[in-house]
């Protein structure tokens, strides 16, 4: 029991005595490459070992180097053996968390440890949407560009038409920008692009413009084509139904005619038989 208390006390004193640097905070967007700094000795002649750890309920080693020719790192993580910087490629939201870099001086003795902490926040890849708002004037357009999936921060928006940058630019903290264009600054079929620049990344999206008159024409054409197709389908259906009904009527009359003819033939043959038989009977009576 006494030995356990002494061990816990020594561990507590070790944690207090180990020098820590203030934790730095870094922000990144999903898919980017980030570089997390680590405290390194100012003297290049000092030989040290480096260990990067992600702090969690089950802390795991990310990278480890003991001064040998190669370092042991998990996939997507690399270690710069000069500055001890930890690089993360294609960073994901699951990479968010607290990281610790521990450097241990091996030569010259005695050993000396230093720990630096870093906090990483990874946001999901932001989505940029561009929509055409309703406008009462057919000669003007009103566009709204919105950036979603990113914590509010300073975003710079720029606009371009057919690859040519427009003079309209805006800086916003509410993650959106609006653009008003009136003739002759735009025409049917123009491609308008919204560009958004934020920390550690940029994105863009485009839309093709069409006047309200052209849109109404397109809608009318779609309605006319749909009505014509429906009329043709109905006509074909009616023709097929009439054809089948007529065919059925023809088959029915033929059968009836055959039945009448058979009955008439049977009746005539029966009468002929009776007429032939009757004279034979009279002849027999006369002879008797």
């Amino acid at each position: 029991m006494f030995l356990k208390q002494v061990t816990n006390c020594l561990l507590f004193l070790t944690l207090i005595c180990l020098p820590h640097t203030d934790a730095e905070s870094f922000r990144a967007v999903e898919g980017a490459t980030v570089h997390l700094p680590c405290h390194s000795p100012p003297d290049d002649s000092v030989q040290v070992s480096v260990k990067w750890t992600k702090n969690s309920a089950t802390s795991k080693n990310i990278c480890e180097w003991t001064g040998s020719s190669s370092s042991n790192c998990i996939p997507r993580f690399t270690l710069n053996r000069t500055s001890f910087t930890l690089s993360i490629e294609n960073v994901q939201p699951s990479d968010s968390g607290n990281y610790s870099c521990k450097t241990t001086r091996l030569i010259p003795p005695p050993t000396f440890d230093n720990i630096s902490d870093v906090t990483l926040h990874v946001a999901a890849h932001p989505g940029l949407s561009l929509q055409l708002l309703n406008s009462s004037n057919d000669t003007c357009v009103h566009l709204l560009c919105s950036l979603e999936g990113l914590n509010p921060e300073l975003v710079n928006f720029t606009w371009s038409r057919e690859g040519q940058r427009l003079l309209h630019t805006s800086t916003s903290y509410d993650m959106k920008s609006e653009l008003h264009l009136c003739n002759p600054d735009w025409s049917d079929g123009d491609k308008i692009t919204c560009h958004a620049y934020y920390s550690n990344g940029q994105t863009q999206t485009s839309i093709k413009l069409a006047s309200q008159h052209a849109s109404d024409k397109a809608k009318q054409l779609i309605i006319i084509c749909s009505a014509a197709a429906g009329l043709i389908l109905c006509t074909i259906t009616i023709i097929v139904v009439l054809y089948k009904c007529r065919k059925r009527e023809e088959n029915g009359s033929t059968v009836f005619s055959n039945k009448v003819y058979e009955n008439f033939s049977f009746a005539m043959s029966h009468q002929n038989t009776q007429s032939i038989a009757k004279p034979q009977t009279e002849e027999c009576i006369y002879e008797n």
Side-chain angles (χ1 to χ4, degrees):
M1 185 70 181
F2 176 75
L3 182 60
K4 184 178 180 180
Q5 291 179 350
V6 171
T7 303
N8 293 335
C9 184
L10 290 175
L11 288 174
F12 178 75
L13 291 175
T14 302
L15 292 174
I16 294 177
C17 295
L18 282 177
H20 284 70
T21 58
D22 294 336
E24 295 183 72
S25 181
F26 290 86
R27 299 174 62 85
V29 179
E30 180 182 359
T33 299
V34 296
H35 306 282
L36 304 181
C38 175
H39 172 79
S40 60
D43 189 357
D44 295 338
S45 62
V46 174
Q47 183 178 348
V48 299
S49 65
V50 183
K51 180 186 293 186
W52 273 96
T53 306
K54 184 177 181 182
N55 303 322
S56 61
T58 57
S59 298
K60 62 178 181 179
N61 293 337
I62 303 298
C63 270
E64 193 171 0
W65 183 59
T66 58
S68 59
S69 58
S70 61
S71 54
N72 183 21
C73 298
I74 64 176
R76 297 191 298 110
F77 292 79
T78 56
L79 177 67
N80 186 312
R81 294 194 296 270
T82 302
S83 62
F84 309 143
T85 299
L86 180 68
S87 299
I88 310 176
E89 297 179 355
N90 190 25
V91 67
Q92 300 296 315
S94 59
D95 295 326
S96 299
N98 299 320
Y99 292 80
S100 295
C101 174
K102 178 182 178 182
T103 59
T104 302
R105 187 180 68 186
L106 303 177
I107 299 175
T111 60
F112 179 79
D113 295 332
N114 189 288
I115 296 178
S116 55
D117 298 323
V118 177
T119 301
L120 176 63
H121 302 279
V122 181
H125 195 281
L128 189 65
S129 62
L130 181 57
Q131 55 181 325
L132 180 64
L133 302 180
N134 293 330
S135 178
S136 57
N137 191 347
D138 189 34
T139 62
C140 297
V141 292
H142 183 194
L143 300 174
L144 175 63
C145 186
S146 303
L147 187 64
E148 300 176 354
L150 192 67
N151 293 332
E153 62 174 78
L154 186 63
V155 180
N156 293 323
F157 291 94
T158 62
W159 297 80
S160 63
R161 185 190 65 183
E162 297 296 331
Q164 301 295 323
R165 183 170 179 175
L166 300 174
L167 295 178
H168 178 81
T169 59
S170 64
T171 300
S172 174
Y173 282 95
D174 56 3
M175 321 298 283
K176 63 183 179 180
S177 176
E178 297 184 17
L179 175 68
H180 295 267
L181 288 178
C182 293
N183 288 337
D185 293 333
W186 73 279
S187 58
D188 288 344
D190 279 353
K191 181 180 179 181
I192 303 296
T193 303
C194 172
H195 309 262
Y197 301 89
Y198 50 89
S199 62
N200 299 323
Q202 62 177 348
T203 184
Q204 66 182 43
T205 186
S206 303
I207 189 174
K208 280 197 173 183
L209 298 180
S211 64
Q212 186 66 31
H213 181 64
S215 300
D216 293 341
K217 272 190 168 183
K219 292 179 181 179
Q220 291 177 0
L221 182 61
I222 293 175
I223 294 174
I224 293 173
C225 292
S226 301
L231 181 61
I232 293 173
L233 182 61
C234 290
T235 303
I236 294 174
T237 304
I238 292 173
I239 292 174
V240 171
V241 171
L242 291 177
Y243 176 77
K244 288 186 176 180
C245 291
R246 184 173 180 180
K247 198 72 175 177
R248 187 178 302 170
E249 289 178 358
E250 290 178 354
N251 294 337
S253 63
T254 301
V255 172
F256 177 76
S257 299
N258 291 338
K259 290 293 182 181
V260 171
Y261 178 75
E262 290 175 359
N263 294 335
F264 178 75
S265 300
F266 176 78
M268 292 299 294
S269 61
H270 182 67
Q271 290 180 2
N272 291 336
T273 303
Q274 289 180 352
S275 62
I276 295 173
K278 186 174 181 181
Q280 291 178 354
T281 304
E282 291 177 354
E283 186 178 354
C284 293
I285 296 173
Y286 181 75
E287 289 178 355
N288 292 331

